[in-house]
């Protein structure tokens, strides 16, 4: 067993980026085969290849776009397969394989550590054993707590066994920011005013979207504060720059988006117009959180105002934070770009946040991530416009939702053509493994080193 697991990481001729892409592709293909089986479907018929591939990709890439209603199309076996794909996709196959390797042989080779560094979006090799075990431990803790709370509502509604399974399914899906549910055809709309469902799902989405590194930084500093080894002021200052930016951007984006949705939909009878004040506030907050690549819906998105749809597209494109289960260009990428632009407009040499300078390498990487994602989105939307006879805003919303692995839709997913589904599948895949990872997986490592070894004279270009 150890030999098999070790060989999984042992593609000596593959780069870490190629291993990540290959691991997700392997899970998607296996999931496609399982979802095609008659045992996975209520009518016990062989499932369409393209629909099985679409569903497996959506689950593995923790997106949530579906061509069929999960609970109506799939048996318990099929739902269990989807749940497993979500869990593997949320943590990453390589992360889970690395945990098993550590359990069996207690250490990773340097080659394996480099692959995991890339997978977990870390900037250096670190104590991998503790980090991976903590990821598994806290994932099970958060999902378990979420399941217990949700079961308090679902057991009375569905019975003990079905209620527990639905609670588990929604909890895992929420923490992995997947957006799948096995409740019915309208996501969480039936529970729009139920704090016992809405609040736990919001909490799980945020926890999954913050990123593993942020959890552990907060945990370590909170322990010191509780032991009174550091003051509250020292606690705040001792947090890493990454943690500070993630927390600041997460709170800002959630709050600002919720306020705008509240105002834009306040009088819209198709969404929250008929709700009480507190219901409008809770729903606006939930929709703001779920836009962070989670994909659950508590209102009918087809009835949203045009301004709300456009706002949601912008928020979905940003997504969650690095190193977690969320997609998008990431909150830290947006923060770096905004700070860089502000610094340039003010004529400052350095880009600074929380009294720390951000290096040129990080700024260049942020720019690359942002513009490659934008170019990918534009290409996807352009192709969808050629293939699909649907409103532009609907296609832009669908493509952004796929690339940012959100899973929200304006209701066009099931009616997409074969070509449209393939484009969405590719966008979901690229969005989950990361655009830079995908690009790097296509580049020969040997050619890249040769190109980097050549230095050319500086040239002058007039821009602006």
């Amino acid at each position: 067993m150890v030999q098999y697991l070790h060989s999984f990481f042992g593609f000596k001729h593959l780069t870490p980026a190629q291993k990540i892409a290959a691991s997700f592709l392997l899970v998607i293909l296996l999931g496609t085969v399982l979802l095609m089986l008659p045992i996975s479907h209520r009518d016990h018929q062989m499932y369409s290849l393209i629909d099985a591939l679409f569903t497996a990709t959506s689950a593995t890439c923790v997106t949530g776009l579906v061509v069929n209603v999960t609970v109506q199309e799939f048996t318990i076996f099929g739902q269990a397969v989807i749940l497993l794909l979500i869990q593997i996709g949320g943590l990453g196959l390589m992360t889970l394989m690395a945990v098993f390797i550590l359990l069996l042989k207690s250490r990773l080779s340097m080659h394996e550590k480099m692959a995991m560094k890339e997978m977990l979006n870390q900037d250096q090799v670190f104590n991998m054993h503790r980090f991976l075990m903590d990821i598994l431990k806290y994932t099970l803790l958060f999902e378990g707590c979420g399941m217990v709370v949700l079961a308090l509502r679902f057991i009375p509604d569905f019975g003990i066994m079905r209620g527990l399974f639905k609670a588990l399914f929604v909890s895992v899906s929420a923490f992995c920011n997947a957006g799948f549910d096995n409740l019915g055809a309208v996501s969480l709309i039936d529970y729009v005013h139920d704090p016992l469902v809405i609040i736990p799902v919001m909490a799980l989405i945020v926890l999954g979207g913050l990123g593993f590194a942020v959890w552990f930084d907060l945990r370590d500093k909170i322990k010191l504060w509780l032991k009174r080894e550091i003051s509250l002021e020292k606690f705040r200052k001792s947090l890493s720059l990454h943690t500070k930016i993630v927390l600041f951007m997460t709170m800002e984006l959630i709050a600002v988006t919720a306020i705008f949705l509240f105002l834009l939909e306040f009088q819209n009878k198709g969404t929250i117009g008929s709700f009480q004040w507190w219901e409008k506030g809770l729903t606006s907050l939930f929709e703001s959180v779920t836009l962070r690549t989670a994909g659950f819906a508590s209102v009918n998105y087809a009835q949203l105002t045009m301004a709300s749809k456009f706002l949601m597209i912008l928020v979905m494109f940003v997504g969650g934070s690095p190193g977690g289960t969320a997609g998008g260009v990431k909150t830290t990428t947006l923060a770096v770009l905004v700070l860089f632009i502000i610094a340039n407009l003010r004529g400052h040499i350095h880009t600074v946040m929380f009294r720390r300078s951000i290096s040129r390498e990080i700024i260049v990487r942020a720019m690359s991530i942002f513009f490659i994602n934008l170019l990918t989105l534009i290409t996807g939307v352009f192709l969808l416009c050629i293939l699909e006879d649907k409103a532009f805003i609907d296609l832009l919303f669908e493509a952004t939702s796929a690339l940012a692995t959100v899973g929200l839709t304006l209701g066009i997913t099931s009616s997409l053509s074969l070509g449209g589904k393939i484009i969405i599948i590719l966008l979901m895949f690229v969005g989950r493994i990361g655009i830079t990872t995908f690009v790097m997986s296509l580049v020969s490592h040997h050619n890249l080193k040769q190109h980097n070894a050549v230095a050319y004279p500086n040239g002058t270009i007039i821009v602006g």
Side-chain angles (χ1 to χ4, degrees):
M1 183 65 175
V2 177
Q3 194 71 24
Y4 171 76
L5 293 172
H6 187 77
S7 66
F8 179 83
F9 282 91
F11 306 123
K12 299 294 184 181
H13 40 283
L14 295 183
T15 65
Q18 290 170 335
K19 292 177 184 177
I20 294 170
S23 68
F24 275 95
L25 184 59
L26 174 63
V27 175
I28 289 171
L29 294 177
L30 290 175
T32 300
V33 173
L34 291 175
L35 290 178
M36 287 180 65
L37 298 176
I39 192 178
S40 295
H41 304 276
R42 295 194 180 279
D43 59 6
H44 301 296
Q45 299 295 316
M46 187 68 75
Y47 198 41
S48 160
L49 173 60
I50 186 62
D51 288 348
L53 178 61
F54 191 101
T55 304
T57 304
S58 184
T60 306
C61 298
V62 291
T63 304
L65 292 173
V66 294
V67 291
N68 302 103
V69 178
T70 302
V71 71
Q72 294 176 1
E73 174 66 31
F74 296 99
T75 61
I76 294 297
F77 176 83
Q79 293 175 41
V81 170
I82 293 173
L83 181 63
L84 183 60
L85 293 176
I86 291 171
Q87 189 71 86
I88 294 174
L91 296 180
L93 177 62
M94 291 177 64
T95 301
L96 296 175
M97 296 294 277
V99 169
F100 285 121
I101 289 176
L102 289 171
L103 289 174
L104 293 172
K105 71 184 186 75
S106 301
R107 63 189 299 272
L108 295 174
S109 68
M110 181 54 67
H111 199 67
E112 292 163 351
K113 288 181 179 180
M114 292 299 294
M116 289 310 306
K117 177 183 79 70
E118 187 77 18
M119 175 69 201
L120 296 170
N121 206 7
Q122 300 297 307
D123 58 358
Q124 60 185 354
V125 176
F126 51 98
N127 186 345
M128 198 70 68
H129 185 283
R130 181 186 175 190
F131 195 83
L132 289 171
M133 292 304 175
D134 282 348
I135 287 176
L136 187 61
K137 179 174 67 176
Y138 281 95
T139 295
L140 295 176
L141 173 65
F142 293 144
E143 292 176 350
C145 290
M147 175 186 171
V148 170
V149 177
L150 291 171
L152 297 176
R153 171 62 65 234
F154 293 157
I155 287 178
D157 289 351
F158 301 102
I160 295 178
M161 296 309 296
R162 289 180 63 208
L164 285 173
F165 182 69
K166 289 180 184 294
L168 173 63
F169 193 102
V170 173
S171 179
V172 172
S173 181
F175 179 76
C176 292
N177 281 215
F180 276 85
D181 71 85
N182 59 349
L183 301 174
V186 291
S187 191
L188 299 182
I189 291 178
D190 290 342
Y191 297 93
V192 61
H193 304 316
D194 192 340
L196 196 58
V197 173
I198 296 299
I199 292 176
V201 170
M202 281 197 294
L204 288 166
I205 292 169
V206 173
L207 287 169
L210 286 177
F212 308 124
V214 174
W215 302 348
F216 304 146
D217 188 26
L218 286 170
R219 176 203 60 189
D220 295 340
K221 302 307 189 302
I222 288 174
K223 282 182 178 179
L224 294 175
W225 176 61
L226 291 176
K227 292 178 181 178
R228 297 186 178 181
E229 295 182 17
I230 58 174
S231 64
L232 189 59
E233 180 66 17
K234 181 67 175 178
F235 166 81
R236 184 181 65 82
K237 291 182 178 179
S238 64
L239 293 174
S240 70
L241 177 62
H242 173 80
T243 299
K244 290 178 181 177
I245 292 177
V246 167
L247 293 177
F248 175 80
M249 290 297 295
T250 298
M251 290 186 291
E252 285 289 310
L253 286 172
I254 289 176
V256 171
T257 305
I259 291 171
F260 271 100
L261 289 175
F262 181 84
L263 296 174
L264 292 170
E265 299 295 321
F266 189 83
Q267 294 182 320
N268 184 356
K269 298 296 184 180
T271 54
I272 67 173
S274 60
F275 295 177
Q276 298 180 26
W277 276 82
W278 74 268
E279 294 172 341
K280 291 181 179 182
L282 180 63
T283 304
S284 299
L285 181 62
F286 179 82
E287 295 306 327
S288 175
V289 171
T290 197
L291 287 170
R292 312 298 311 290
T293 83
F296 293 99
S298 61
V299 295
N300 184 354
Y301 274 52
Q303 299 297 319
L304 291 166
T305 63
M306 192 64 68
S308 293
K309 292 177 183 178
F310 184 67
L311 173 64
M312 288 180 166
I313 289 170
L314 297 178
V315 176
M316 287 192 297
F317 186 71
V318 175
S321 302
T325 58
V329 298
K330 305 296 189 298
T331 54
T332 49
T333 301
L334 178 64
V336 168
L337 290 179
V338 171
L339 290 171
F340 175 72
I341 292 171
I342 292 174
N344 271 267
L345 292 175
R346 291 178 174 178
H348 296 169
I349 298 175
H350 301 291
T351 302
V352 179
M353 188 172 193
F354 296 115
R355 297 185 179 181
R356 294 290 185 274
S357 293
I358 300 173
S359 69
R360 179 181 176 276
E361 289 76 16
I362 293 176
I363 294 171
V364 170
R365 181 177 175 84
M367 287 181 176
S368 300
I369 292 171
F370 184 89
F371 287 107
I372 294 175
N373 269 280
L374 184 60
L375 179 61
T376 303
L377 177 61
I378 291 172
T379 303
V381 174
F382 177 72
L383 293 174
L384 286 173
C385 287
I386 295 173
L387 296 171
E388 305 294 335
D389 183 21
K390 302 184 188 309
F392 175 76
I393 191 69
D394 292 352
L395 295 176
L396 178 59
F397 195 101
E398 193 85 3
T400 306
S401 179
L403 182 62
T405 69
V406 179
L408 294 172
T409 180
L410 297 179
I412 68 171
T413 309
S414 59
S415 62
L416 291 173
S417 65
L418 174 61
K421 289 178 181 178
I422 291 174
I423 291 171
I424 295 299
I425 287 171
L426 292 174
L427 288 174
M428 289 190 292
F429 182 75
V430 171
R432 178 61 186 100
I433 67 174
I435 194 69
T436 52
T437 299
F438 180 74
V439 172
M440 291 297 293
S441 69
L442 301 177
V443 177
S444 169
H445 188 59
H446 176 70
N447 292 338
L448 188 62
K449 289 196 296 183
Q450 280 189 330
H451 180 74
N452 289 337
V454 179
Y456 296 97
N458 290 331
T460 302
I461 301 175
I462 300 174
V463 296

